[in-house]
Amino acid sequence: MDQKFIITNGRLVFALISVIGAALITLRVNPATLYPTLRLYLTGMVILGIGLDIFGRIELAKFDTDDDD
């Protein structure tokens, strides 16, 4: 499979999970603490997303083979 396709789908799934998590937090958290809680959650998700992207690129680079032989 194409590496860009895999990374793009991974990013889309991660973004969907992040949005669902933010929506659940919005429903359950006290309105007085909503902004700091969402800011902390989304900051953590951005850091996790960057880490997963870097890890995914490294793992995909390991499997990069030329089939032109």
Side-chain angles (χ1 to χ4, degrees), residues 25 33-47:
I25 288 173
T33 61
L34 180 61
Y35 177 72
T37 304
L38 277 178
R39 187 174 61 185
L40 179 66
Y41 170 75
L42 293 175
T43 302
M45 293 304 278
V46 166
I47 292 170

Side-chain angles (χ1 to χ4, degrees), residues 10-11 13-15 17-18 39-57:
R11 287 178 184 163
V13 169
F14 188 76
I17 292 169
S18 298
R39 187 174 61 185
L40 179 66
Y41 170 75
L42 293 175
T43 302
M45 293 304 278
V46 166
I47 292 170
L48 183 62
I50 291 170
L52 287 173
D53 189 51
I54 292 169
F55 177 75
R57 288 176 186 266

Side-chain angles (χ1 to χ4, degrees), residues 14-33:
F14 188 76
L16 181 64
I17 292 169
S18 298
V19 169
I20 291 171
L24 291 174
I25 288 173
T26 302
L27 289 174
R28 297 176 190 263
V29 173
N30 182 5
T33 61

